Amino acid sequence: LCLQVLASNLQGSASANPIWHEHPALHVFAYQCSPLSDSESIRHQFEMAVRFQRQSERVRSVLLLDEVGLAEHSPDMPLKVLHELLVSPEIAIVGISNWVLDPAKMNRAICLQRPPLSLADVQRTGDAILGMSPRAYTVLRQSVAPLSRAFHMLYRRRSADQRDFLGMRDFYSLMRLLAQVYGG
């Protein structure tokens, strides 16, 4: 969500807010990691992002490795390529994971861990996301609390073998979808 907010605001001279006009645009190259990921696919996406940045004026490329922890489960060990890519990268690399990664990959990164959200946090987040679309918020204002309670209950009660089935990003996506559908 944070990277989406940055990318939607940092659009260089095309940014909606004039304060961002003097900053370069942000272009995200996403790579969805999985247990079937291989190092060549990650390297290919990295090289595409580097080429794009070199050929573009006032653009900063970011390689987003989504669910990077899933690639740790690949027998091919595709994240080994990160050792080389992280030495002095020309572009930013962001990895999002629900698992702790191998320490060799973490030592050149910033690790942000957040505790589980409280029910109040989930509800405030739902209100904030829906609030970006006033029309949707007007229609769905009464639904945020029950949806937040239901999601929070499922999120907190999931068992160890279901940990990876449901995450906060699912709630964020639900709220964004509702904002789109009911926001017109």
Side-chain angles (χ1 to χ4, degrees):
L1 184 60
C2 180
L3 204 53
Q4 288 176 344
V5 169
L6 284 172
S8 66
N9 285 295
L10 291 175
Q11 296 180 7
S13 58
S15 296
N17 189 328
I19 198 167
W20 301 115
H21 289 184
E22 63 189 65
H23 299 282
L26 189 66
H27 191 87
V28 178
F29 287 81
Y31 180 81
Q32 179 65 50
C33 295
S34 78
L36 302 176
S37 295
D38 60 60
S39 58
E40 283 310 307
S41 299
I42 294 172
R43 181 185 305 282
H44 175 74
Q45 197 71 354
F46 175 83
E47 290 170 353
M48 280 183 20
V50 168
R51 275 195 308 275
F52 185 83
Q53 182 167 303
R54 286 179 183 164
Q55 296 171 356
S56 304
E57 284 189 34
R58 294 183 34 83
V59 170
R60 295 289 178 254
S61 294
V62 176
L63 174 60
L64 170 63
L65 300 173
D66 200 2
E67 295 293 349
V68 69
L70 290 175
E72 286 269 301
H73 299 289
S74 172
D76 298 327
M77 299 190 322
L79 298 182
K80 286 260 186 209
V81 73
L82 292 179
H83 296 289
E84 172 190 336
L85 301 179
L86 290 173
V87 171
S88 57
E90 291 182 49
I91 62 167
I93 301 172
V94 175
I96 298 174
S97 179
N98 288 323
W99 297 281
V100 175
L101 299 177
D102 176 289
K105 291 162 194 77
M106 298 283 291
N107 70 354
R108 290 178 230 128
I110 296 171
C111 179
L112 173 66
Q113 292 181 314
R114 57 182 166 71
L117 297 175
S118 69
L119 175 57
D121 292 333
V122 174
Q123 188 162 344
R124 274 193 304 272
T125 302
D127 283 332
I129 293 171
L130 277 180
M132 290 189 280
S133 172
R135 184 171 169 210
Y137 190 71
T138 301
V139 173
L140 296 170
R141 179 178 45 232
Q142 303 301 320
S143 301
V144 174
L147 284 171
S148 298
R149 277 193 305 276
F151 185 84
H152 188 258
M153 182 191 69
L154 289 171
Y155 183 72
R156 299 292 288 193
R157 289 187 181 170
R158 62 196 172 154
S159 63
D161 63 333
Q162 297 171 325
R163 278 194 49 177
D164 307 321
F165 182 72
L166 185 67
M168 286 308 302
R169 291 178 8 173
D170 298 304
F171 182 73
Y172 305 151
S173 294
L174 171 64
M175 292 294 115
R176 282 196 311 270
L177 176 66
L178 291 172
Q180 285 177 340
V181 169
Y182 289 95

